[in-house]
């Protein structure tokens, strides 16, 4: 039976402390607004975070939560889900937390396909530690750790997730009204749902996403994907098509027969969409890829069941197994 809750039921009594104007506020409200629609019980929901601005998130949810250590949210979340598979597990992390020190844990959680929702707040900067460049920072980004501009080629979170074997990859924007729908789609997916959220850091990287999030360019620079629908943007005047000659995507007129129809199960297409250059193409948003597969915890549970079938628990027998012996002789008196 679904649990009837409201937004207020999911908000904790803790004072929300982020910089005024931070995109985290919008994401928090989007999640709190979404939870009642999911019908899950507060006492069966767990938010797990690592370290960073976004990782304060569990304090502000009235559910259970763990504020863990840098880069280890995925490891802790895996333990939580294996210990109690009935729990609804959400992972809150940032681009630095998940793709730098926690990159290996993020990769393994995705390839294992643990049933959870991983929300990666991407602001292309380290906000909590005062503005150093992060794995997603663009070439030329000036920061305390790159005073002459970053020379690193930035990681693309959606591409990273697809390369790690994620079965659900989506994108949203902190202040966009469509974010709750993306969250619902991720929650409905059985398995690891990777959702990248473009989140503005008003202090250290303000308006880095403005070239596609600003209202004045949103229609021209945002491609919201819908399964079975044509990939149209610019109010339907333009579309995305595949160029057979270059084996790459191209922009065509919206009424062209070449316009692609979105198939979330097409992984190759999802990779192309994730890496469309922003100067020429719009940014692909919504569900880029979804192709369900058996979950990690279900496989572990089945393996444990099969291994224990027909066996009786005997702790004494287990302790005595192997190279053991019984001491019969009494010890010498001192």
């Amino acid at each position: 039976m679904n649990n009837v809750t409201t937004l207020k039921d999911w908000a904790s009594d803790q004072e929300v402390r982020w910089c005024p104007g931070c995109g985290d506020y919008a994401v928090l409200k989007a999640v709190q607004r979404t939870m009642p629609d999911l019908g899950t019980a507060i006492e069966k929901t767990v938010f797990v975070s690592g370290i960073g601005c976004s990782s304060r998130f569990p304090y502000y949810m009235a559910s259970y939560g763990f504020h863990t250590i840098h880069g280890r949210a995925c490891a802790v979340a895996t333990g939580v889900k294996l210990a109690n598979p009935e729990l609804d597990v959400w992972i809150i992390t940032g681009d630095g937390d998940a793709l730098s020190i926690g990159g290996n844990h993020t990769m393994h959680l995705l390839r294992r396909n643990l049933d959870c929702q991983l929300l990666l707040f991407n602001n292309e900067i380290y906000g909590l530690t005062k503005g150093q460049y992060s794995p997603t920072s663009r070439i030329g980004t000036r920061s305390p750790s790159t005073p002459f501009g970053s020379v690193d080629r930035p990681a693309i979170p959606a591409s990273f997730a697809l390369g790690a074997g994620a079965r659900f990859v989506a994108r949203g924007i902190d202040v966009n009204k469509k974010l709750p729908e993306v969250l619902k789609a991720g929650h409905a997916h059985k398995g690891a749902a990777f959702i990248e959220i473009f989140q503005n850091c008003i202090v250290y990287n303000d308006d880095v996403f403005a070239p596609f999030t600003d209202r004045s360019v949103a229609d021209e620079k945002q491609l919201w994907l819908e399964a079975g629908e044509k990939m149209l943007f610019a109010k339907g005047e333009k579309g995305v098509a595949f160029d057979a000659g270059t084996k790459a995507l191209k922009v065509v007129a919206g009424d062209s027969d070449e316009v692609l129809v979105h198939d979330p199960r097409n992984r190759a297409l999802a990779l192309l969409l994730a890496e469309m250059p922003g100067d020429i193409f719009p940014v692909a948003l919504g569900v880029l890829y979804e192709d369900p597969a058996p979950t990690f915890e279900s496989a572990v549970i089945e393996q444990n069941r099969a291994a224990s079938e027909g066996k009786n628990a005997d702790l004494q027998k287990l302790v005595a197994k192997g190279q053991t012996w019984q001491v019969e002789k009494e010890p010498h008196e001192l």
Side-chain angles (χ1 to χ4, degrees), residues 1-324:
M1 176 180 287
N2 285 351
N3 294 273
V4 179
T5 59
T6 66
L7 183 154
K8 290 184 177 180
D9 293 326
W10 288 93
S12 76
D13 61 357
Q14 298 299 298
E15 179 186 355
V16 182
R17 294 183 179 180
W18 284 309
C19 299
C22 176
D24 288 356
Y25 286 99
V27 181
L28 175 63
K29 279 300 180 184
V31 172
Q32 292 174 339
R33 189 179 300 115
T34 300
M35 299 307 291
D37 293 338
L38 303 180
T40 55
I42 295 175
E43 67 273 15
K44 289 189 176 182
T45 303
V46 183
F47 282 83
V48 183
S49 66
I51 293 295
C53 295
S54 64
S55 293
R56 297 185 60 82
F57 206 95
Y59 297 113
Y60 309 138
M61 301 298 296
S63 63
Y64 288 106
F66 292 90
H67 187 181
T68 70
I69 56 179
H70 205 188
R72 306 305 187 255
C74 290
V76 174
T78 299
V80 169
K81 190 68 176 181
L82 288 177
N84 188 348
E86 293 184 1
L87 294 176
D88 187 14
V89 177
W90 295 72
I91 300 172
I92 307 296
T93 186
D95 46 305
D97 189 53
L99 299 179
S100 185
I101 188 171
N104 57 333
H105 293 290
T106 304
M107 174 184 72
H108 294 308
L109 179 136
L110 295 176
R111 72 170 179 82
R112 285 169 174 159
N113 198 34
L114 188 82
D115 187 22
C116 63
Q117 294 74 235
L118 190 158
L119 309 188
L120 188 151
F121 293 36
N122 182 13
N123 55 20
E124 296 189 6
I125 207 76
Y126 277 102
L128 186 65
T129 52
K130 312 308 179 189
Q132 298 87 347
Y133 87 120
S134 82
T136 58
S137 295
R138 305 176 192 193
I139 293 175
T141 298
R142 291 181 178 272
S143 76
S145 53
T146 54
F148 301 108
S150 170
V151 296
D152 286 7
R153 181 184 177 189
I156 302 173
S159 297
F160 170 88
L162 289 165
R167 312 296 300 195
F168 180 100
V169 178
R171 282 172 170 167
I173 299 171
D174 52 9
V175 296
N176 194 286
K177 63 182 180 181
K178 294 184 180 181
L179 180 57
E181 296 305 314
V182 178
L183 298 175
K184 291 176 187 177
H187 186 268
H189 174 81
K190 189 68 174 177
F194 179 91
I195 303 174
E196 175 188 10
I197 301 174
F198 296 108
Q199 175 259 321
N200 190 49
C201 176
I202 196 168
V203 175
Y204 297 110
N205 215 15
D206 193 23
D207 286 339
V208 69
F209 301 122
F212 69 89
T213 61
D214 192 86
R215 289 184 180 181
S216 63
V217 297
D219 289 334
E220 187 76 20
K221 286 297 182 178
Q222 294 180 19
L223 169 62
W224 285 93
L225 301 165
E226 294 286 348
E229 299 293 331
K230 287 188 174 183
M231 297 184 188
L232 297 172
F233 63 102
K235 297 182 178 180
E237 295 182 2
K238 297 179 181 179
V240 174
F242 183 73
D243 189 322
T246 62
K247 303 297 186 294
L249 298 179
K250 63 181 180 179
V251 175
V252 297
D255 57 0
S256 171
D257 293 335
E258 294 183 272
V259 176
L260 292 169
V261 173
H262 185 43
D263 176 10
R265 290 179 179 265
N266 189 329
R267 184 172 176 274
L269 179 58
L271 279 166
L272 290 173
L273 290 169
E275 299 189 2
M276 289 192 299
D279 55 337
I280 303 173
F281 293 91
V283 174
L285 300 161
V287 180
L288 279 68
Y289 178 68
E290 181 177 16
D291 190 12
T295 64
F296 178 61
E297 72 280 0
S298 64
V300 171
I301 292 169
E302 175 56 28
Q303 185 181 67
N304 290 342
R305 185 203 62 76
S308 62
E309 190 172 2
K311 299 179 181 178
N312 294 319
D314 189 334
L315 180 60
Q316 185 59 41
K317 184 177 179 181
L318 177 64
V319 171
K321 184 179 180 180
Q323 296 182 351
T324 61

